[in-house]
């Protein structure tokens, strides 16, 4: 799907239910709350690289934010590995909720206690549709010319502008060559194969600082692991950060990805 950059785009890395840090970042970027929606006075739009939920403390608030802002035409959100897992869970599929996805289930239990079954099922259905309709990547244009691609975990050059199950999985998980002896994914460096002037912005694989290689930028700085939430502003080509209030993940030392 192609989108004109227009008045400017604010690409946001993996939020992982760190709602307070996300709102702090929007305030820092100049967004203003108006009738329940965060609107930029200059007409800028928000783009999430996915994984807005899971691991952190406020998944429902983050998912409701994008549900409301995507529907209002103020934001975009792409598909992601955690988003796809939660979508399948909401469809009633047999999925193992782990790696922080179990927090979403627990939040919905608490939500139902407060709001009742009818409101809970309504919200679940709306979020399911939001997640299922999220594309694997967006192409952003300036005067009709492609300039930027954003995706969750990566994309091959020959996949850009196309959509099928193989491409969706690559964009959700990246280029993975199995698991290591500790059960962690062995990630291949797909970005080293990227060629051309098209900028690719991605997340998924937390880095302490933005990784800039071959006209690709990773903007997942591990906010849920105690790092920071990153925005990359385009066309300004500027980074804006908000530090995490704490490490929400419980992972410390070498087990914490931003310490590797």
């Amino acid at each position: 799907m192609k989108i004109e950059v227009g008045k400017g785009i604010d690409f946001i890395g993996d939020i992982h239910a760190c709602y307070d840090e996300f709102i702090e970042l929007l305030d820092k970027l100049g967004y203003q709350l108006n009738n329940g929606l965060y609107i930029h006075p200059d007409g800028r739009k928000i783009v999430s690289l996915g994984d807005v939920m899971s691991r952190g403390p406020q998944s429902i608030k983050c998912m409701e934010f994008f549900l409301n802002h995507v529907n209002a035409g103020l934001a975009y959100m792409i598909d992601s590995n955690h988003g796809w897992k939660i979508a399948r869970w909401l469809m009633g599929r047999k999925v193992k909720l782990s790696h922080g996805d179990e927090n979403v289930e627990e939040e919905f239990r608490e939500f139902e206690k407060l709001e009742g079954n009818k409101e809970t099922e309504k919200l679940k259905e709306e979020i399911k549709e939001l997640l299922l309709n999220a594309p694997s990547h967006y192409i952003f244009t300036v005067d009709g010319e492609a300039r930027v691609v954003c995706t969750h975990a990566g994309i091959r050059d020959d996949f850009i502008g196309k959509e099928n199950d193989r491409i969706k999985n690559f964009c959700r998980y990246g280029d993975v060559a199995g698991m290591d002896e500790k059960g962690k994914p062995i990630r291949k460096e797909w970005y080293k194969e990227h060629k051309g002037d098209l900028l690719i912005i991605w997340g998924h694989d937390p880095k302490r600082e933005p990784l800039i290689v071959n006209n690709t930028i990773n903007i997942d700085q591990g906010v849920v692991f105690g790092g920071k939430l990153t925005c990359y502003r385009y066309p300004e080509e500027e980074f804006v950060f908000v530090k995490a209030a704490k490490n929400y993940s419980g992972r410390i030392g070498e087990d914490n990805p931003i310490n590797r």
Side-chain angles (χ1 to χ4, degrees):
M1 180 177 178
K2 291 186 177 181
I3 300 168
E4 187 71 10
V5 168
K7 300 295 185 180
I9 301 292
D10 293 318
F11 296 96
I12 311 290
D14 300 32
I15 300 168
H16 275 306
C18 297
Y19 183 77
D20 291 344
E21 286 86 348
F22 175 51
I23 296 302
E24 183 181 346
L25 181 59
L26 293 184
D27 289 340
K28 200 170 182 179
L29 293 169
Y31 287 82
Q32 299 171 2
L33 188 58
N34 187 343
N35 293 323
L37 295 171
Y38 281 84
I39 300 172
H40 200 283
D42 297 335
R44 302 180 69 87
K45 300 289 182 70
I46 302 163
V47 177
S48 164
L49 298 190
D51 278 4
V52 304
M53 73 297 284
S54 305
R55 297 193 188 275
Q58 298 185 86
S59 286
I60 290 179
K61 277 192 172 183
C62 288
M63 291 188 291
E64 282 185 306
F65 179 97
F66 281 96
L67 175 65
N68 295 332
H69 287 74
V70 169
N71 287 343
L74 297 169
Y76 304 95
M77 186 184 73
I78 55 176
D79 188 22
S80 58
N81 56 311
H82 285 275
W84 176 232
K85 174 73 74 70
I86 296 303
R88 285 180 291 152
W89 174 68
L90 291 171
M91 291 169 68
R93 301 282 180 86
K94 289 185 178 181
V95 295
K96 182 180 179 181
L97 296 180
S98 58
H99 304 293
D101 292 321
E102 67 275 14
N103 296 351
V104 179
E105 183 179 33
E106 180 57 32
E107 277 195 47
F108 270 113
R109 286 198 197 100
E110 294 301 315
F111 184 91
E112 188 168 2
K113 289 178 185 177
L114 294 172
E115 304 294 337
N117 178 263
K118 184 177 180 180
E119 284 301 313
T120 303
E121 292 306 312
K122 177 176 180 290
L123 180 59
K124 282 183 172 181
E125 181 66 23
E126 290 173 342
I127 289 174
K128 180 191 75 174
E129 291 303 313
L130 172 72
L131 297 174
L132 289 176
N133 288 326
S136 66
H137 63 288
Y138 280 114
I139 301 170
F140 289 87
T141 61
V142 175
D143 296 329
E145 183 180 344
R147 296 288 180 84
V148 181
V149 173
C150 74
T151 188
H152 180 61
I155 191 166
R156 285 176 20 183
D157 288 357
D158 59 321
F159 287 169
I160 295 171
K162 303 172 185 175
E163 192 81 296
N164 58 40
D165 288 344
R166 181 187 178 197
I167 292 169
K168 287 178 180 178
N169 278 327
F170 191 102
C171 291
R172 286 171 188 144
Y173 304 102
D175 198 358
V176 179
M179 300 291 180
D180 64 17
E181 65 279 1
K182 295 181 179 179
K184 298 186 183 301
I186 301 170
R187 305 188 196 279
K188 297 171 71 175
E189 296 174 327
W190 60 269
Y191 42 85
K192 291 187 175 179
E193 304 300 319
H194 175 52
K195 298 177 181 178
D197 295 330
L198 200 59
L199 173 64
I200 299 177
I201 305 173
W202 61 292
H204 180 65
D205 186 9
K207 312 289 184 185
R208 184 174 290 276
E209 299 294 338
L211 177 68
I212 304 174
V213 178
N214 243 13
N215 214 24
T216 73
I217 306 174
N218 171 293
I219 61 167
D220 179 5
Q221 275 59 74
V223 62
V224 77
F225 300 107
K228 53 194 176 185
L229 184 60
T230 301
C231 169
Y232 183 75
R233 311 194 87 193
Y234 191 88
E236 295 83 356
E237 300 182 347
E238 297 173 350
F239 293 101
V240 180
F241 305 100
V242 164
K243 290 183 178 179
K246 59 182 286 188
N247 178 354
Y248 300 96
S249 71
R251 294 170 64 174
I252 59 175
E254 292 185 0
D255 189 45
N256 189 324
I258 64 171
N259 291 334
R260 293 172 193 158

